[in-house]
Amino acid sequence: MDLRRPRRPRRHLAPLPLWIRGMLWLVGWLFLLLGVAGLFLPVLQGGLFLVIGAAIISLVSRRVHHWLRSAFGKWPRAWKRVERFRRWLHGKLHRK
């Protein structure tokens, strides 16, 4: 007998308008570039910028979302934070 909590069904995020997706690509890549620079410069937090950039791009790309989810497989609490950030950002951008 399985005593674990039943899983909630996954809710997929609604697609965003084209101009917002283009802006997310641009902003996500800027954060990734800052993250790479932050790996070599002591002033910037490189890892943080890399995760934020990947989370932003994962709103647009399903492949990046799957890669990010598998990369955080060992750290479920960190993945929940990233997923919460993604859903918060999507909610702010997707107004009906």
Side-chain angles (χ1 to χ4, degrees), residues 31-45:
F31 270 99
L32 286 176
L33 290 174
L34 279 173
V36 170
L39 293 176
F40 301 104
L41 298 174
V43 179
L44 298 174
Q45 294 291 323

Side-chain angles (χ1 to χ4, degrees), residues 7-65:
R7 294 185 71 151
R8 289 185 291 167
R10 289 189 182 170
R11 293 179 296 151
H12 294 287
L13 301 176
L16 295 168
L18 183 62
W19 70 273
I20 291 179
R21 289 190 308 226
M23 292 302 292
L24 286 174
W25 271 108
L26 179 67
V27 171
W29 276 105
L30 287 174
F31 270 99
L32 286 176
L33 290 174
L34 279 173
V36 170
L39 293 176
F40 301 104
L41 298 174
V43 179
L44 298 174
Q45 294 291 323
L48 180 64
F49 281 118
L50 287 172
V51 171
I52 291 172
I56 290 172
I57 291 176
S58 73
L59 285 171
V60 181
S61 171
R62 194 175 286 177
R63 181 180 293 169
V64 173
H65 179 256

